[in-house]
Amino acid sequence: MVIRKTVSFNQIELSYLDWQTDGEPVLLLHGLADHALGWSAVGEHIAQHYHPVAVDMRGHGQSSKPNDGYDFDTVMGDLVQLMEHLGWSAAHIVGHSWSGKVATYWATRQPEHFLTMVLVDPIFVYGMPGIFRLTFPLFYGILPFLKGMGPFADWDAAIQQGKQMKQYRDWNSLQEAVFRESLAENPDGTMGSKFTKAARDEIFDAVLRVPGLTQEIQVPSLFMQPQAGVNRFDWQLKPYRKYLKNLRVETIPGNHWAFLVEPENFSKTLIDFLA
């Protein structure tokens, strides 16, 4: 049975889902503008063998949304303290998209916290030239995964947008619940994302400025490459092959959100690797 819990430290609260099962710990980290509930189906599958916990990262979901503190070191500190709270010295760390880069950054500095590392279609593993950081905010309005931020005039308008987004392509009960959980009513009565603009801007700055892979990592690692994801070509995997010295690459069905659109296939691949 999964329970939502909250832990407080560093003047923030982190909300997380805990399946409370026996087995080796698995920490599930969502991507930009997402939240812990997106891991629900995968959590149910792997809870038969492991102890999964999915966290709402700061600035997302039901966790605190400070005006700053979205750099990699602060985010990494949140996760270390969460693990200490859970009594975990090390865990299988699963990072999707932005959190995949968080995981590589973390593993270069504190590999002792990793039993294994699983990267799910990660983004921008290298730092980017400054010109890209200056122009990237222009793309906020057209990036597909940010279109769910709103604002929307009402729930009906929000739902119409959600049904057009790739991660909710089947619009099943879980996908609808995940989309609804991502939104809250604004003071003016419109609907908008719980993911804040302050978090968005600082995370993008860190993602584009700070390289995630800078040295060799010996942690056993899995790169999950969705067939319709953002990492479709061999050249995109070169930095991972260069620095991750114990790497396995698996192509899986689905898109960037394979864990939400193809959870059974995703979970099988994940369990096979962890085993």
Side-chain angles (χ1 to χ4, degrees), residues 124-156:
F124 301 124
V125 71
Y126 285 137
M128 302 287 283
I131 185 63
F132 287 98
R133 298 201 300 274
L134 292 173
T135 59
F136 211 80
L138 299 176
F139 295 94
Y140 285 165
I142 62 173
L143 286 172
F145 67 94
L146 293 183
K147 290 186 177 181
M149 289 188 68
F152 306 104
D154 50 35
W155 270 112
D156 288 340

Side-chain angles (χ1 to χ4, degrees), residues 56-241:
D56 286 343
M57 310 283 273
R58 63 165 58 208
H60 296 75
Q62 297 186 30
S63 290
S64 295
K65 299 168 179 64
N67 291 326
D68 53 24
Y70 296 96
D71 57 280
F72 282 106
D73 288 307
T74 302
V75 171
M76 182 177 71
D78 288 347
L79 300 175
V80 170
Q81 291 197 66
L82 174 61
M83 287 179 61
E84 290 176 353
H85 169 75
L86 294 168
W88 296 354
S89 59
H92 302 285
I93 310 294
V94 182
H96 169 240
S97 194
W98 157 63
S99 289
K101 185 166 183 177
V102 171
T104 60
Y105 182 90
W106 187 8
T108 63
R109 288 152 179 82
Q110 299 178 343
E112 66 274 12
H113 289 304
F114 288 72
L115 296 175
T116 64
M117 178 170 63
V118 179
L119 306 177
V120 184
D121 213 18
I123 60 171
F124 301 124
V125 71
Y126 285 137
M128 302 287 283
I131 185 63
F132 287 98
R133 298 201 300 274
L134 292 173
T135 59
F136 211 80
L138 299 176
F139 295 94
Y140 285 165
I142 62 173
L143 286 172
F145 67 94
L146 293 183
K147 290 186 177 181
M149 289 188 68
F152 306 104
D154 50 35
W155 270 112
D156 288 340
I159 295 301
Q160 289 306 309
Q161 176 62 58
K163 288 181 177 180
Q164 299 176 42
M165 298 175 69
K166 291 181 179 179
Q167 61 266 53
Y168 312 119
R169 68 181 190 189
D170 301 315
W171 202 247
N172 56 36
S173 58
L174 173 58
Q175 291 175 11
E176 180 176 0
V178 171
F179 180 68
R180 287 182 177 273
E181 174 65 18
S182 72
L183 300 175
E185 185 172 351
N186 296 320
D188 63 0
T190 61
M191 306 303 302
S193 177
K194 293 177 182 176
F195 176 54
T196 65
K197 291 182 179 179
R200 179 198 67 185
D201 293 347
E202 280 206 29
I203 289 171
F204 265 117
D205 176 70
V207 166
L208 296 177
R209 178 171 45 83
V210 180
L213 284 173
T214 57
Q215 63 190 55
E216 293 183 357
I217 298 174
Q218 302 297 330
V219 173
S221 302
L222 171 66
F223 191 107
M224 299 182 80
Q225 185 183 33
Q227 292 171 336
V230 299
N231 293 281
R232 304 185 194 185
F233 306 103
D234 285 342
W235 65 265
Q236 293 173 294
L237 272 65
K238 283 185 177 180
Y240 303 97
R241 296 188 189 279

